[in-house]
Protein backbone atom coordinates (compact mmCIF):
# COMPACT_ATOMS: atom_id res chain seq x y z
CA UNK A 1 0.00 0.00 0.00
CA UNK A 2 1.18 3.51 -0.85
CA UNK A 3 0.37 6.03 1.91
CA UNK A 4 0.18 9.69 0.87
CA UNK A 5 2.42 12.22 2.63
CA UNK A 6 1.51 15.86 3.14
CA UNK A 7 5.07 17.15 3.83
CA UNK A 8 7.46 14.92 1.89
CA UNK A 9 9.98 17.69 1.06
CA UNK A 10 12.15 18.59 4.08
CA UNK A 11 9.13 18.06 6.37
CA UNK A 12 7.92 21.50 5.20
CA UNK A 13 4.36 22.08 4.00
CA UNK A 14 5.43 25.24 2.13
CA UNK A 15 8.31 23.59 0.25
CA UNK A 16 6.21 20.49 -0.45
CA UNK A 17 3.41 22.65 -1.83
CA UNK A 18 5.91 24.50 -4.03
CA UNK A 19 7.17 21.21 -5.49
CA UNK A 20 3.60 19.90 -5.86
CA UNK A 21 2.65 22.89 -8.01
CA UNK A 22 5.37 22.13 -10.58
CA UNK A 23 3.08 20.05 -12.87
CA UNK A 24 0.43 22.79 -12.89
CA UNK A 25 3.00 25.56 -13.37
CA UNK A 26 4.52 23.59 -16.23
CA UNK A 27 1.19 23.33 -18.05
CA UNK A 28 0.25 26.96 -17.39
CA UNK A 29 3.61 28.34 -18.53
CA UNK A 30 3.73 26.15 -21.63
CA UNK A 31 0.23 27.24 -22.61
CA UNK A 32 0.21 30.86 -21.52
CA UNK A 33 3.81 31.96 -22.06
CA UNK A 34 5.44 29.55 -24.51
CA UNK A 35 2.07 29.16 -26.33
CA UNK A 36 2.69 25.49 -26.90
CA UNK A 37 -0.17 23.41 -28.27
CA UNK A 38 -2.43 22.13 -25.51
CA UNK A 39 -1.90 18.41 -26.19
CA UNK A 40 1.89 18.83 -26.04
CA UNK A 41 1.68 20.88 -22.83
CA UNK A 42 -0.61 18.28 -21.26
CA UNK A 43 1.74 15.41 -22.03
CA UNK A 44 4.78 17.29 -20.66
CA UNK A 45 2.81 18.26 -17.56
CA UNK A 46 1.87 14.62 -17.06
CA UNK A 47 5.56 13.69 -17.23
CA UNK A 48 6.40 16.31 -14.58
CA UNK A 49 3.55 15.10 -12.34
CA UNK A 50 4.81 11.51 -12.58
CA UNK A 51 8.37 12.64 -11.80
CA UNK A 52 7.24 14.60 -8.72
CA UNK A 53 5.08 11.67 -7.55
CA UNK A 54 8.03 9.26 -7.78
CA UNK A 55 10.98 11.46 -6.76
CA UNK A 56 9.40 13.74 -4.14
CA UNK A 57 6.45 11.71 -2.83
CA UNK A 58 7.90 8.21 -3.14
CA UNK A 59 4.96 6.79 -5.07
CA UNK A 60 6.02 3.56 -6.82
CA UNK A 61 6.38 3.93 -10.58
CA UNK A 62 3.90 1.10 -11.19
CA UNK A 63 1.18 2.79 -9.11
CA UNK A 64 1.95 6.16 -10.71
CA UNK A 65 1.51 4.67 -14.18
CA UNK A 66 -1.65 2.86 -13.09
CA UNK A 67 -3.16 6.08 -11.72
CA UNK A 68 -2.34 7.93 -14.94
CA UNK A 69 -3.97 5.14 -16.96
CA UNK A 70 -7.12 5.40 -14.86
CA UNK A 71 -7.29 9.16 -15.49
CA UNK A 72 -6.76 8.68 -19.22
CA UNK A 73 -9.52 6.04 -19.36
CA UNK A 74 -11.91 8.34 -17.52
CA UNK A 75 -11.05 11.02 -20.08
CA UNK A 76 -12.00 8.63 -22.88
CA UNK A 77 -15.06 7.18 -21.17
CA UNK A 78 -17.36 8.80 -20.23
CA UNK A 79 -15.96 12.31 -20.94
CA UNK A 80 -14.92 12.15 -24.59
CA UNK A 81 -17.55 9.52 -25.32
CA UNK A 82 -20.10 12.29 -24.70
CA UNK A 83 -18.29 14.92 -26.76
CA UNK A 84 -17.67 12.70 -29.80
CA UNK A 85 -21.27 11.51 -30.05
CA UNK A 86 -22.72 15.00 -29.50
CA UNK A 87 -20.52 16.53 -32.20
CA UNK A 88 -21.42 13.60 -34.47
CA UNK A 89 -25.11 14.56 -34.25
CA UNK A 90 -24.24 18.13 -35.24
CA UNK A 91 -22.07 16.98 -38.18
CA UNK A 92 -24.91 14.89 -39.59
CA UNK A 93 -27.27 17.90 -39.54
CA UNK A 94 -24.64 19.95 -41.38
CA UNK A 95 -24.19 17.22 -43.99
CA UNK A 96 -27.92 17.04 -44.77
CA UNK A 97 -28.23 20.87 -44.66
CA UNK A 98 -30.78 20.65 -41.86
CA UNK A 99 -28.48 22.90 -39.84
CA UNK A 100 -28.95 25.60 -42.53
CA UNK A 101 -32.71 25.20 -42.20
CA UNK A 102 -32.35 25.66 -38.45
CA UNK A 103 -30.26 28.81 -38.99
CA UNK A 104 -32.89 30.27 -41.33
CA UNK A 105 -35.60 29.44 -38.82
CA UNK A 106 -33.79 31.49 -36.20
CA UNK A 107 -33.33 34.37 -38.65
CA UNK A 108 -37.08 34.51 -39.29
CA UNK A 109 -37.92 34.73 -35.58
CA UNK A 110 -37.00 38.43 -35.55
CA UNK A 111 -35.21 40.89 -37.81
CA UNK A 112 -34.00 42.86 -34.77
CA UNK A 113 -30.24 42.18 -34.46
CA UNK A 114 -30.40 42.55 -30.69
CA UNK A 115 -32.99 39.77 -30.46
CA UNK A 116 -31.05 37.71 -33.00
CA UNK A 117 -27.99 37.95 -30.72
CA UNK A 118 -30.06 36.48 -27.87
CA UNK A 119 -31.56 33.72 -30.02
CA UNK A 120 -28.36 32.66 -31.78
CA UNK A 121 -25.51 33.39 -29.36
CA UNK A 122 -27.27 32.90 -26.01
CA UNK A 123 -30.04 30.33 -26.59
CA UNK A 124 -28.77 28.31 -29.54
CA UNK A 125 -25.18 28.73 -28.31
CA UNK A 126 -26.28 27.19 -25.01
CA UNK A 127 -27.88 24.28 -26.87
CA UNK A 128 -24.63 23.69 -28.76
CA UNK A 129 -22.70 23.95 -25.49
CA UNK A 130 -25.04 21.35 -24.00
CA UNK A 131 -24.44 18.96 -26.88
CA UNK A 132 -20.79 19.51 -27.79
CA UNK A 133 -18.93 22.29 -25.99
CA UNK A 134 -15.16 22.55 -26.55
CA UNK A 135 -15.32 25.65 -28.79
CA UNK A 136 -18.17 24.52 -31.06
CA UNK A 137 -20.75 27.03 -29.69
CA UNK A 138 -18.48 30.03 -30.24
CA UNK A 139 -17.49 29.04 -33.77
CA UNK A 140 -20.99 28.15 -34.94
CA UNK A 141 -22.76 31.09 -33.26
CA UNK A 142 -20.23 33.59 -34.63
CA UNK A 143 -20.62 32.25 -38.18
CA UNK A 144 -24.42 32.42 -37.93
CA UNK A 145 -24.31 36.02 -36.67
CA UNK A 146 -22.05 37.07 -39.54
CA UNK A 147 -24.48 35.40 -41.97
CA UNK A 148 -27.26 37.47 -40.37
CA UNK A 149 -25.29 40.64 -41.19
CA UNK A 150 -23.30 41.30 -38.01
CA UNK A 151 -19.91 42.96 -38.16
CA UNK A 152 -17.33 40.14 -37.69
CA UNK A 153 -15.72 41.69 -34.59
CA UNK A 154 -19.08 42.27 -32.93
CA UNK A 155 -20.21 38.74 -33.84
CA UNK A 156 -17.08 37.25 -32.24
CA UNK A 157 -17.43 39.35 -29.06
CA UNK A 158 -21.12 38.48 -28.66
CA UNK A 159 -20.46 34.76 -29.21
CA UNK A 160 -17.64 34.74 -26.64
CA UNK A 161 -19.53 36.64 -23.92
CA UNK A 162 -22.67 34.53 -24.46
CA UNK A 163 -20.66 31.34 -23.90
CA UNK A 164 -20.58 31.69 -20.11
CA UNK A 165 -23.75 30.73 -18.23
CA UNK A 166 -24.15 27.28 -19.91
CA UNK A 167 -20.49 26.15 -19.71
CA UNK A 168 -20.60 24.41 -16.29
CA UNK A 169 -23.27 21.99 -17.59
CA UNK A 170 -21.90 21.80 -21.15
CA UNK A 171 -21.28 18.65 -23.19
CA UNK A 172 -24.06 16.83 -21.36
CA UNK A 173 -22.82 17.86 -17.93
CA UNK A 174 -19.21 16.82 -18.56
CA UNK A 175 -17.58 19.50 -16.33
CA UNK A 176 -19.69 18.68 -13.27
CA UNK A 177 -19.39 14.92 -13.92
CA UNK A 178 -15.61 15.33 -13.94
CA UNK A 179 -15.73 17.52 -10.84
CA UNK A 180 -17.72 14.89 -8.96
CA UNK A 181 -15.32 12.16 -10.06
CA UNK A 182 -12.09 13.88 -9.04
CA UNK A 183 -13.45 15.21 -5.73
CA UNK A 184 -15.36 12.11 -4.65
CA UNK A 185 -18.47 14.23 -4.02
CA UNK A 186 -21.88 12.98 -5.23
CA UNK A 187 -22.76 14.29 -8.69
CA UNK A 188 -26.23 15.36 -7.59
CA UNK A 189 -24.77 17.44 -4.75
CA UNK A 190 -22.18 19.17 -6.93
CA UNK A 191 -24.72 19.88 -9.69
CA UNK A 192 -27.18 21.26 -7.14
CA UNK A 193 -24.71 23.85 -5.82
CA UNK A 194 -23.46 24.85 -9.28
CA UNK A 195 -27.12 25.18 -10.24
CA UNK A 196 -27.49 27.81 -7.51
CA UNK A 197 -24.59 29.91 -8.82
CA UNK A 198 -24.47 29.99 -12.62
CA UNK A 199 -28.19 30.80 -13.09
CA UNK A 200 -27.42 34.16 -11.47
CA UNK A 201 -25.07 34.85 -14.39
CA UNK A 202 -27.88 33.98 -16.80
CA UNK A 203 -29.90 36.89 -15.41
CA UNK A 204 -27.13 39.33 -16.35
CA UNK A 205 -25.62 38.02 -19.59
CA UNK A 206 -28.63 38.67 -21.92
CA UNK A 207 -28.73 42.30 -20.77
CA UNK A 208 -25.00 42.53 -21.36
CA UNK A 209 -25.41 41.10 -24.86
CA UNK A 210 -28.02 43.63 -26.04
CA UNK A 211 -25.80 46.34 -24.57
CA UNK A 212 -22.82 45.03 -26.52
CA UNK A 213 -24.86 44.92 -29.72
CA UNK A 214 -26.50 48.35 -29.50
CA UNK A 215 -25.26 50.20 -26.42
CA UNK A 216 -27.63 52.07 -24.13
CA UNK A 217 -30.30 52.18 -26.81
CA UNK A 218 -30.24 48.40 -26.96
CA UNK A 219 -30.73 48.14 -23.20
CA UNK A 220 -33.46 50.78 -23.19
CA UNK A 221 -35.47 49.22 -26.03
CA UNK A 222 -34.94 45.47 -25.48
CA UNK A 223 -34.43 45.03 -21.74
CA UNK A 224 -37.83 43.34 -21.37
CA UNK A 225 -37.16 40.41 -23.77
CA UNK A 226 -33.55 40.20 -22.55
CA UNK A 227 -34.66 39.93 -18.93
CA UNK A 228 -37.43 37.45 -19.82
CA UNK A 229 -34.93 35.30 -21.72
CA UNK A 230 -32.41 35.40 -18.87
CA UNK A 231 -35.00 34.65 -16.18
CA UNK A 232 -36.46 31.70 -18.11
CA UNK A 233 -32.97 30.33 -18.81
CA UNK A 234 -31.94 30.71 -15.15
CA UNK A 235 -35.13 29.13 -13.81
CA UNK A 236 -34.86 26.13 -16.14
CA UNK A 237 -31.14 25.62 -15.43
CA UNK A 238 -31.79 25.77 -11.68
CA UNK A 239 -34.76 23.38 -11.85
CA UNK A 240 -33.05 20.82 -14.10
CA UNK A 241 -29.73 20.78 -12.20
CA UNK A 242 -31.44 20.54 -8.81
CA UNK A 243 -34.42 18.29 -9.48
CA UNK A 244 -34.06 16.53 -12.86
CA UNK A 245 -30.62 15.91 -14.37
CA UNK A 246 -27.36 17.83 -14.70
CA UNK A 247 -27.06 16.48 -18.25
CA UNK A 248 -30.33 18.16 -19.24
CA UNK A 249 -29.72 21.49 -17.49
CA UNK A 250 -28.46 23.43 -20.52
CA UNK A 251 -30.84 21.85 -23.00
CA UNK A 252 -33.83 22.77 -20.87
CA UNK A 253 -32.43 26.25 -20.19
CA UNK A 254 -31.74 26.96 -23.87
CA UNK A 255 -35.23 25.89 -24.91
CA UNK A 256 -36.85 27.85 -22.08
CA UNK A 257 -34.90 30.99 -22.97
CA UNK A 258 -35.91 30.72 -26.63
CA UNK A 259 -39.55 30.08 -25.68
CA UNK A 260 -39.55 33.19 -23.48
CA UNK A 261 -38.31 35.29 -26.41
CA UNK A 262 -41.06 33.94 -28.64
CA UNK A 263 -43.64 34.70 -25.95
CA UNK A 264 -42.63 38.36 -25.46
CA UNK A 265 -44.47 40.52 -28.03
CA UNK A 266 -41.75 43.18 -28.20
CA UNK A 267 -39.22 40.55 -29.31
CA UNK A 268 -41.22 39.88 -32.51
CA UNK A 269 -41.58 43.56 -33.40
CA UNK A 270 -39.57 44.67 -36.48
CA UNK A 271 -36.45 46.64 -35.61
CA UNK A 272 -36.30 50.33 -36.49
CA UNK A 273 -34.21 50.97 -39.59
CA UNK A 274 -31.64 53.18 -37.75
CA UNK A 275 -30.96 50.25 -35.42
CA UNK A 276 -30.40 47.84 -38.28
CA UNK A 277 -28.12 50.27 -40.11
CA UNK A 278 -26.08 50.97 -36.96
CA UNK A 279 -25.73 47.35 -35.88
CA UNK A 280 -25.60 45.31 -39.08
CA UNK A 281 -22.46 46.55 -40.78
CA UNK A 282 -21.63 43.16 -42.28
CA UNK A 283 -23.07 41.38 -45.33
CA UNK A 284 -26.29 39.47 -44.85
CA UNK A 285 -26.39 35.96 -46.31
CA UNK A 286 -28.81 35.78 -49.25
CA UNK A 287 -29.96 32.24 -48.44
CA UNK A 288 -31.79 33.57 -45.37
CA UNK A 289 -34.66 34.58 -47.68
CA UNK A 290 -35.18 30.98 -48.79
CA UNK A 291 -38.46 29.44 -47.59
CA UNK A 292 -38.24 25.93 -46.15
CA UNK A 293 -41.08 23.39 -46.12
CA UNK A 294 -42.59 22.90 -42.67
CA UNK A 295 -41.73 19.15 -42.56
CA UNK A 296 -38.06 19.97 -43.17
CA UNK A 297 -38.12 22.56 -40.39
CA UNK A 298 -39.52 19.95 -38.01
CA UNK A 299 -36.80 17.50 -39.07
CA UNK A 300 -34.18 20.18 -38.40
CA UNK A 301 -35.40 20.50 -34.81
CA UNK A 302 -35.88 16.74 -34.38
CA UNK A 303 -32.31 15.80 -33.26
CA UNK A 304 -32.48 18.15 -30.27
CA UNK A 305 -36.02 17.10 -29.38
CA UNK A 306 -34.88 13.47 -29.57
CA UNK A 307 -31.98 14.08 -27.18
CA UNK A 308 -34.27 15.79 -24.68
CA UNK A 309 -36.77 12.91 -24.92
CA UNK A 310 -34.16 10.17 -24.45
CA UNK A 311 -32.50 11.89 -21.49
CA UNK A 312 -35.89 12.56 -19.90
CA UNK A 313 -36.94 8.92 -20.20
CA UNK A 314 -33.56 7.86 -18.78
CA UNK A 315 -34.34 9.82 -15.61
CA UNK A 316 -37.56 7.92 -14.87
CA UNK A 317 -36.67 5.90 -11.69
CA UNK A 318 -37.40 2.37 -13.05
CA UNK A 319 -35.55 3.14 -16.30
CA UNK A 320 -32.69 4.75 -14.40
CA UNK A 321 -32.34 1.67 -12.19
CA UNK A 322 -32.41 -0.63 -15.23
CA UNK A 323 -29.67 1.35 -17.01
CA UNK A 324 -27.58 1.44 -13.84
CA UNK A 325 -27.48 -2.37 -13.74
CA UNK A 326 -25.03 -2.29 -16.65
CA UNK A 327 -22.53 -0.25 -14.59
CA UNK A 328 -19.40 -2.21 -13.68
CA UNK A 329 -17.38 -1.31 -10.57
CA UNK A 330 -14.07 -3.04 -9.94
CA UNK A 331 -10.74 -2.69 -8.17
CA UNK A 332 -8.36 -0.77 -10.39
CA UNK A 333 -5.32 -3.01 -11.09
CA UNK A 334 -1.89 -2.22 -9.60
CA UNK A 335 -3.32 0.57 -7.44
CA UNK A 336 -3.48 0.49 -3.62
CA UNK A 337 -3.43 3.99 -2.15
CA UNK A 338 -4.29 5.33 1.31
CA UNK A 339 -4.55 8.97 2.35
CA UNK A 340 -2.34 10.54 5.02
CA UNK A 341 -4.65 9.16 7.72
CA UNK A 342 -4.34 5.60 6.40
CA UNK A 343 -7.82 5.32 4.86
CA UNK A 344 -8.14 3.85 1.33
CA UNK A 345 -8.88 6.50 -1.31
CA UNK A 346 -11.80 6.28 -3.73
CA UNK A 347 -9.46 5.99 -6.71
CA UNK A 348 -8.74 2.37 -5.83
CA UNK A 349 -12.14 1.56 -7.33
CA UNK A 350 -13.30 2.40 -10.84
CA UNK A 351 -16.88 2.55 -12.15
CA UNK A 352 -17.69 2.02 -15.80
CA UNK A 353 -21.26 3.19 -16.57
CA UNK A 354 -21.68 1.41 -19.91
CA UNK A 355 -25.27 2.49 -20.57
CA UNK A 356 -26.19 4.99 -17.83
CA UNK A 357 -23.92 7.68 -19.23
CA UNK A 358 -24.60 10.73 -21.37
CA UNK A 359 -22.45 9.52 -24.26
CA UNK A 360 -24.40 6.30 -24.77
CA UNK A 361 -27.72 8.16 -24.60
CA UNK A 362 -26.50 10.70 -27.16
CA UNK A 363 -25.34 7.81 -29.36
CA UNK A 364 -28.88 6.42 -29.29
CA UNK A 365 -30.20 9.87 -30.19
CA UNK A 366 -27.66 10.01 -33.03
CA UNK A 367 -28.93 6.73 -34.46
CA UNK A 368 -32.48 8.10 -34.33
CA UNK A 369 -31.31 11.37 -35.88
CA UNK A 370 -29.71 9.55 -38.81
CA UNK A 371 -33.03 7.79 -39.50
CA UNK A 372 -35.11 10.97 -39.19
CA UNK A 373 -32.99 13.27 -41.37
CA UNK A 374 -32.13 10.59 -43.92
CA UNK A 375 -28.47 9.71 -43.32
CA UNK A 376 -27.49 6.26 -44.62
CA UNK A 377 -25.90 3.95 -42.04
CA UNK A 378 -22.62 3.82 -43.95
CA UNK A 379 -22.47 7.61 -44.16
CA UNK A 380 -23.34 7.94 -40.47
CA UNK A 381 -20.45 5.64 -39.52
CA UNK A 382 -18.12 7.62 -41.80
CA UNK A 383 -19.22 10.87 -40.11
CA UNK A 384 -18.60 9.35 -36.67
CA UNK A 385 -15.06 8.35 -37.65
CA UNK A 386 -14.50 11.82 -39.14
CA UNK A 387 -15.64 13.33 -35.83
CA UNK A 388 -13.04 11.28 -33.95
CA UNK A 389 -10.39 12.41 -36.42
CA UNK A 390 -11.45 16.05 -36.03
CA UNK A 391 -11.19 15.77 -32.25
CA UNK A 392 -7.91 13.82 -32.18
CA UNK A 393 -5.89 16.61 -30.58
CA UNK A 394 -8.67 17.43 -28.12
CA UNK A 395 -8.78 13.73 -27.20
CA UNK A 396 -5.04 13.75 -26.52
CA UNK A 397 -5.34 16.97 -24.49
CA UNK A 398 -8.23 15.78 -22.31
CA UNK A 399 -6.73 12.34 -21.62
CA UNK A 400 -3.32 13.80 -20.71
CA UNK A 401 -4.79 16.49 -18.44
CA UNK A 402 -7.00 13.97 -16.64
CA UNK A 403 -4.07 11.56 -16.31
CA UNK A 404 -2.08 14.44 -14.79
CA UNK A 405 -4.93 15.26 -12.40
CA UNK A 406 -5.25 11.65 -11.26
CA UNK A 407 -1.50 11.35 -10.62
CA UNK A 408 -1.56 14.57 -8.58
CA UNK A 409 -4.61 13.44 -6.60
CA UNK A 410 -3.46 9.88 -5.94
CA UNK A 411 0.13 10.75 -5.05
CA UNK A 412 -0.97 13.41 -2.54
CA UNK A 413 0.23 16.47 -4.45
CA UNK A 414 -3.26 17.99 -4.57
CA UNK A 415 -3.73 17.33 -0.84
CA UNK A 416 -0.47 19.13 -0.04
CA UNK A 417 -1.47 22.19 -2.09
CA UNK A 418 -4.93 22.13 -0.54
CA UNK A 419 -3.56 22.15 3.01
CA UNK A 420 -1.26 25.02 2.10
CA UNK A 421 -3.97 27.08 0.37
CA UNK A 422 -6.28 26.52 3.33
CA UNK A 423 -4.16 29.03 5.20
CA UNK A 424 -6.11 31.71 3.32
CA UNK A 425 -8.94 31.01 5.76
CA UNK A 426 -12.07 33.05 5.11
CA UNK A 427 -10.43 34.61 2.03
CA UNK A 428 -10.51 31.20 0.40
CA UNK A 429 -14.17 31.67 -0.53
CA UNK A 430 -13.23 34.74 -2.59
CA UNK A 431 -10.19 33.10 -4.20
CA UNK A 432 -11.93 29.83 -5.07
CA UNK A 433 -13.72 31.10 -8.24
CA UNK A 434 -10.52 32.91 -9.26
CA UNK A 435 -8.65 29.59 -9.27
CA UNK A 436 -11.26 28.05 -11.57
CA UNK A 437 -11.25 31.16 -13.79
CA UNK A 438 -7.47 30.99 -14.11
CA UNK A 439 -7.56 27.28 -14.96
CA UNK A 440 -10.12 27.75 -17.75
CA UNK A 441 -8.41 30.88 -19.06
CA UNK A 442 -5.26 28.86 -19.60
CA UNK A 443 -6.64 25.44 -20.55
CA UNK A 444 -9.77 26.61 -22.42
CA UNK A 445 -11.87 23.94 -20.72
CA UNK A 446 -14.00 23.95 -17.57
CA UNK A 447 -13.63 20.17 -17.57
CA UNK A 448 -9.83 20.42 -17.50
CA UNK A 449 -9.88 23.11 -14.79
CA UNK A 450 -12.16 20.96 -12.64
CA UNK A 451 -9.87 17.97 -13.14
CA UNK A 452 -6.82 20.04 -12.16
CA UNK A 453 -8.20 21.99 -9.21
CA UNK A 454 -11.33 20.16 -8.01
CA UNK A 455 -9.62 17.94 -5.43
CA UNK A 456 -7.46 20.85 -4.31
CA UNK A 457 -10.56 22.98 -3.63
CA UNK A 458 -12.15 20.21 -1.55
CA UNK A 459 -9.01 19.63 0.50
CA UNK A 460 -8.58 23.37 1.13
CA UNK A 461 -12.24 23.65 2.16
CA UNK A 462 -11.93 20.78 4.63
CA UNK A 463 -8.85 22.36 6.19
CA UNK A 464 -10.40 25.82 6.48
CA UNK A 465 -13.82 24.75 7.74
CA UNK A 466 -15.70 25.83 4.59
CA UNK A 467 -18.16 23.68 2.63
CA UNK A 468 -16.32 21.32 0.21
CA UNK A 469 -19.37 21.31 -2.05
CA UNK A 470 -19.40 25.12 -2.18
CA UNK A 471 -15.75 25.52 -3.15
CA UNK A 472 -15.83 22.64 -5.62
CA UNK A 473 -18.84 24.24 -7.31
CA UNK A 474 -17.15 27.65 -7.18
CA UNK A 475 -14.24 26.23 -9.14
CA UNK A 476 -16.60 25.34 -11.99
CA UNK A 477 -18.77 28.45 -11.74
CA UNK A 478 -15.78 30.79 -11.68
CA UNK A 479 -14.21 28.80 -14.48
CA UNK A 480 -17.02 29.53 -16.94
CA UNK A 481 -15.99 33.20 -16.93
CA UNK A 482 -12.47 32.36 -18.07
CA UNK A 483 -13.79 30.71 -21.21
CA UNK A 484 -14.13 33.96 -23.16
CA UNK A 485 -10.48 34.93 -22.67
CA UNK A 486 -8.87 31.51 -23.21
CA UNK A 487 -6.41 31.52 -26.13
CA UNK A 488 -8.16 28.50 -27.66
CA UNK A 489 -11.58 30.15 -27.70
CA UNK A 490 -10.18 33.45 -28.96
CA UNK A 491 -8.46 31.62 -31.80
CA UNK A 492 -11.63 29.68 -32.64
CA UNK A 493 -13.71 32.88 -32.69
CA UNK A 494 -11.23 34.75 -34.89
CA UNK A 495 -10.90 31.86 -37.32
CA UNK A 496 -14.69 31.49 -37.58
CA UNK A 497 -15.29 35.11 -38.66
CA UNK A 498 -12.15 35.65 -40.72
CA UNK A 499 -10.13 37.64 -38.18
CA UNK A 500 -7.10 35.34 -37.91
CA UNK A 501 -4.28 37.08 -36.08
CA UNK A 502 -6.61 39.53 -34.30
CA UNK A 503 -6.84 37.51 -31.07
CA UNK A 504 -5.17 40.31 -29.08
CA UNK A 505 -7.74 42.87 -30.22
CA UNK A 506 -10.57 40.51 -29.30
CA UNK A 507 -9.01 39.80 -25.89
CA UNK A 508 -8.95 43.51 -25.05
CA UNK A 509 -12.67 43.76 -25.83
CA UNK A 510 -13.80 40.80 -23.72
CA UNK A 511 -11.32 40.90 -20.81
CA UNK A 512 -13.11 43.70 -18.89
CA UNK A 513 -16.39 41.76 -19.04
CA UNK A 514 -14.69 38.55 -17.94
CA UNK A 515 -13.17 40.28 -14.91
CA UNK A 516 -16.38 42.11 -14.01
CA UNK A 517 -18.47 38.95 -14.08
CA UNK A 518 -15.75 37.09 -12.15
CA UNK A 519 -15.97 39.70 -9.39
CA UNK A 520 -19.73 39.14 -9.25
CA UNK A 521 -19.23 35.37 -8.92
CA UNK A 522 -16.59 35.83 -6.19
CA UNK A 523 -19.01 37.99 -4.19
CA UNK A 524 -21.77 35.39 -4.67
CA UNK A 525 -19.54 32.60 -3.33
CA UNK A 526 -18.39 34.74 -0.39
CA UNK A 527 -22.03 35.48 0.39
CA UNK A 528 -22.94 31.79 0.16
CA UNK A 529 -20.16 30.96 2.61
CA UNK A 530 -21.79 33.24 5.20
CA UNK A 531 -25.26 33.81 6.59
CA UNK A 532 -25.84 36.51 3.95
CA UNK A 533 -26.48 34.05 1.12
CA UNK A 534 -25.97 30.77 2.96
CA UNK A 535 -29.71 30.14 2.70
CA UNK A 536 -29.24 29.54 -1.03
CA UNK A 537 -27.32 26.32 -0.49
CA UNK A 538 -29.09 22.95 -0.06
Amino acid sequence: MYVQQLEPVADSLGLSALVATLPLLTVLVLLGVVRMKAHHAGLIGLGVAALVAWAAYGMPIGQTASGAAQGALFGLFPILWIVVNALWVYRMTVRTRHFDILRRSFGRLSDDPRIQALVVAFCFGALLEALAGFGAPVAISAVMLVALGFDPVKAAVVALVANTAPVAFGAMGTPVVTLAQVTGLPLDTVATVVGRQTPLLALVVPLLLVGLVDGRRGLRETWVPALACGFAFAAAQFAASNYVSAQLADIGAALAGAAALVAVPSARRPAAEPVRVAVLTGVRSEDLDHDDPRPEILRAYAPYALIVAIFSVAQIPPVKELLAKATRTFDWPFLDVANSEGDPVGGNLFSLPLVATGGTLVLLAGVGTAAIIGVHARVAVREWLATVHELRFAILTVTSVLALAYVMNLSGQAATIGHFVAAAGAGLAFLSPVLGWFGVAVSGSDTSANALFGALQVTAAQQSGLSPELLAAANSSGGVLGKMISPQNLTIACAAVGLAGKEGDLLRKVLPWSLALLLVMCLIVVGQSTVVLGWMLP
Side-chain angles (χ1 to χ4, degrees), residues 227-515:
L227 198 58
C229 176
F231 182 81
F233 186 102
Q237 192 181 61
F238 163 76
S241 60
N242 276 260
Y243 305 113
V244 184
S245 165
Q247 287 90 344
L248 283 177
D250 279 350
I251 294 178
L255 296 176
L261 282 175
V262 172
V264 176
S266 59
R268 305 297 298 273
R269 215 171 286 151
E273 192 58 28
V275 173
R276 293 188 54 79
V277 172
V279 175
L280 299 182
T281 56
V283 179
R284 187 174 183 271
S285 176
E286 293 182 1
D287 77 335
L288 290 172
D289 299 321
H290 178 72
D291 288 328
D292 298 300
R294 183 173 294 275
E296 290 303 309
I297 295 175
L298 293 176
R299 290 172 78 189
Y301 281 91
Y304 310 103
L306 193 58
I307 289 174
V308 173
I310 289 176
F311 271 82
S312 298
V313 170
Q315 296 307 311
I316 299 173
V319 177
K320 193 173 184 178
E321 291 176 10
L322 181 64
L323 297 178
K325 289 181 179 179
T327 299
R328 297 291 178 264
T329 301
F330 53 89
D331 291 324
W332 187 257
F334 311 112
L335 197 64
D336 188 10
V337 179
N339 60 24
S340 58
E341 298 175 355
D343 300 320
V345 300
N348 294 328
L349 296 175
F350 188 78
S351 293
L352 204 60
L354 299 173
V355 181
T357 183
T360 302
L361 298 178
V362 175
L363 179 65
L364 292 175
V367 172
T369 294
I372 291 171
I373 65 177
V375 179
H376 191 276
R378 183 174 60 254
V379 176
V381 171
R382 193 183 305 135
E383 285 295 326
W384 192 89
L385 294 174
T387 303
V388 174
H389 182 265
E390 179 184 334
L391 291 174
R392 62 193 183 281
F393 295 123
I395 290 171
L396 192 54
T397 300
V398 171
T399 52
S400 61
V401 168
L402 277 160
L404 180 154
Y406 269 59
V407 169
M408 290 190 65
N409 293 341
L410 290 168
S411 66
Q413 295 172 57
T416 296
I417 299 172
H419 279 74
F420 183 76
V421 172
L428 187 59
F430 186 87
L431 294 175
S432 186
V434 177
L435 191 60
W437 173 86
F438 185 66
V440 175
V442 173
S443 69
S445 165
D446 200 36
T447 298
S448 296
N450 285 344
L452 288 172
F453 299 133
L456 184 155
Q457 297 267 23
V458 168
T459 304
Q462 291 168 340
Q463 295 301 309
S464 61
L466 294 171
S467 164
E469 294 81 6
L470 174 62
L471 294 201
N475 191 83
S476 194
S477 299
V480 306
L481 302 170
K483 189 95 170 181
M484 70 178 82
I485 63 167
S486 69
Q488 293 92 321
N489 254 25
L490 290 170
T491 301
I492 289 170
C494 285
V497 299
L499 295 174
K502 301 289 186 181
E503 288 85 357
D505 296 339
L506 206 53
L507 175 62
R508 284 190 288 274
K509 289 182 177 293
V510 298
L511 180 60
W513 300 113
S514 178
L515 293 173

Side-chain angles (χ1 to χ4, degrees), residues 102-118:
L102 195 66
R103 177 169 60 87
R104 287 192 288 269
S105 175
F106 289 160
R108 284 190 290 269
L109 177 64
S110 173
D111 72 343
D112 189 327
R114 299 163 299 190
I115 303 302
Q116 290 174 343
L118 294 177

